[in-house]
């Protein structure tokens, strides 16, 4: 299927064919990747694409998808006294609250939830990046989500240095972005390993232009919506 943009950001993907009428359970679609890989840009474009034909879609993020999460996000991205286990538990606290307060109720109402980062970020950053136990992270992820996993995760694969360059062009770096290059390379290896192990993770080449990457994402999403019999 060819996808191309209208001036209003909607695509000519025959939205009249996209119908949810018989659809009851929502889906959780997650965007993952290293710093500056374009997740936020792409998830927002995808949200606009969904909004062209349905209002049963929600856009959220971790950390910071709830009012409490916003406060945790500020601490996590700015407080330089935070160390490994504290960092891990704060991300998991944000997630437990987010899943309970927002994600699960939205899924239960049949909404497609688009989430900027989720459990794989903790494996990649706190596990591969910080070197904390992968087994403990798996247990904490399980506890924080009550076993909820994404239905589909798009891993935006971009060279780590290109991504960091993009974020630095944008403005001052946050606490996580300031970590050394080797840390970010370990995080990258974490995502690559997860993508090898898990069928729910699809790699997306994020090195192209914003519109090229978005067109690729829309193609993948359309395939999955068809497979899930949503369209
Ligand atoms: N974290 C998070 C953990 O350590 N453990 C966890 O469990 C969780 C959930 C979150 C931080 O927390 C860490 C990971 C993060 O360090 P954040 O601000 O949400 O902090 O960090 P990011 O998710 O990395 O957000 P960024 O904004 O830094 O990166 P994005 O979202 O990947 O990239 P985006 O879209 O903002 O784009 C970055 C810049 O590149 C440009 C954009 O215009 C922007 O200026 N850009 C492009 N330029 C050229 N070509 C393209 N195709 C482009 N796409 C975007």
């Amino acid at each position: 299927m060819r996808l191309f943009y209208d001036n209003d950001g909607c695509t000519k993907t025959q939205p009249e064919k996209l119908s949810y009428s018989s659809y009851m359970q929502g889906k959780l679609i997650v965007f993952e990747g290293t710093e500056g890989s374009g997740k936020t840009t792409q998830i927002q474009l995808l949200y606009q694409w969904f909004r062209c034909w349905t209002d049963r879609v929600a856009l959220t993020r971790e950390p910071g998808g709830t009012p409490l999460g916003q406060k945790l996000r500020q601490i996590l991205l700015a407080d330089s006294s935070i160390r490994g286990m504290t960092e891990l538990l704060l991300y998991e606290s944000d997630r437990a609250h987010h899943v309970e307060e927002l994600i699960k109720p939205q899924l239960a109402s049949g909404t497609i939830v688009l989430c900027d980062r989720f459990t794989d970020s903790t494996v990649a950053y706190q596990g591969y990046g910080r070197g904390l136990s992968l087994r403990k992270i798996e247990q904490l992820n399980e506890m924080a989500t009550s076993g909820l996993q994404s239905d589909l995760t798009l891993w935006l694969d971009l060279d780590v240095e290109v991504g960091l360059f993009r974020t630095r062009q944008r403005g001052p770096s946050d606490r996580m972005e300031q970590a050394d290059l080797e840390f970010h390379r370990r995080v990258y290896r974490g995502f690559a390993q997860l993508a090898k192990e898990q069928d729910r993770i699809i790699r997306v080449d994020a090195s192209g232009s914003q519109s090229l990457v978005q067109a690729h994402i829309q193609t993948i999403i359309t395939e999955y919506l068809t497979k899930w019999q949503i369209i």
Side-chain angles (χ1 to χ4, degrees), residues 20 47 50-59 106 109-112:
Y20 261 21
Y47 176 72
F50 268 106
R51 291 286 297 175
C52 292
W53 55 274
T54 181
D55 56 5
R56 291 171 74 178
V57 60
L59 177 59
Q106 291 284 351
S109 72
T111 299
I112 290 197

Side-chain angles (χ1 to χ4, degrees), residues 3-7 9-12 45 210-211 214-215 218:
L3 302 166
F4 41 98
Y5 287 98
D6 271 341
N7 290 336
C10 293
T11 59
K12 299 182 188 303
L45 289 170
Q210 293 185 8
S211 56
Q214 180 60 198
Q218 287 180 18

Side-chain angles (χ1 to χ4, degrees), residues 31-44 61-64 73 76-77 87-88 91-92 94-95 116-126 130 141 156 158 162-163 165-171 174-177 183-184 187 191 206-213:
F31 279 51
E32 293 281 13
T34 45
E35 308 293 321
S37 53
K39 296 174 307 302
T40 309
T41 305
Q42 294 301 330
I43 205 169
Q44 283 171 352
R61 68 174 175 181
E62 288 194 357
R73 180 185 172 89
L76 274 163
L77 297 187
E87 181 179 276
L88 170 60
Y91 278 115
E92 295 291 1
D94 167 73
R95 177 162 305 129
D116 193 343
R117 297 193 181 280
F118 197 54
T119 48
D120 297 326
S121 275
T122 320
V123 175
Y125 279 81
Q126 280 65 52
R130 301 283 191 225
N141 274 342
L156 269 61
L158 184 69
V162 175
F165 177 76
R166 285 183 186 173
T167 61
R168 284 169 192 151
Q169 290 282 97
R170 187 180 51 190
D174 64 38
R175 185 180 69 87
M176 300 299 288
E177 287 163 358
F183 168 80
H184 293 290
V187 172
F191 283 122
S207 63
S209 68
Q210 293 185 8
S211 56
L212 194 70
V213 177

Side-chain angles (χ1 to χ4, degrees), residues 182-199:
E182 194 42 47
F183 168 80
H184 293 290
R185 289 197 171 124
R186 289 196 298 274
V187 172
Y188 177 92
R189 288 197 286 274
F191 283 122
Q193 184 61 30
L194 281 164
K196 253 193 229 166
E197 292 167 359
Q198 309 261 356
D199 289 344

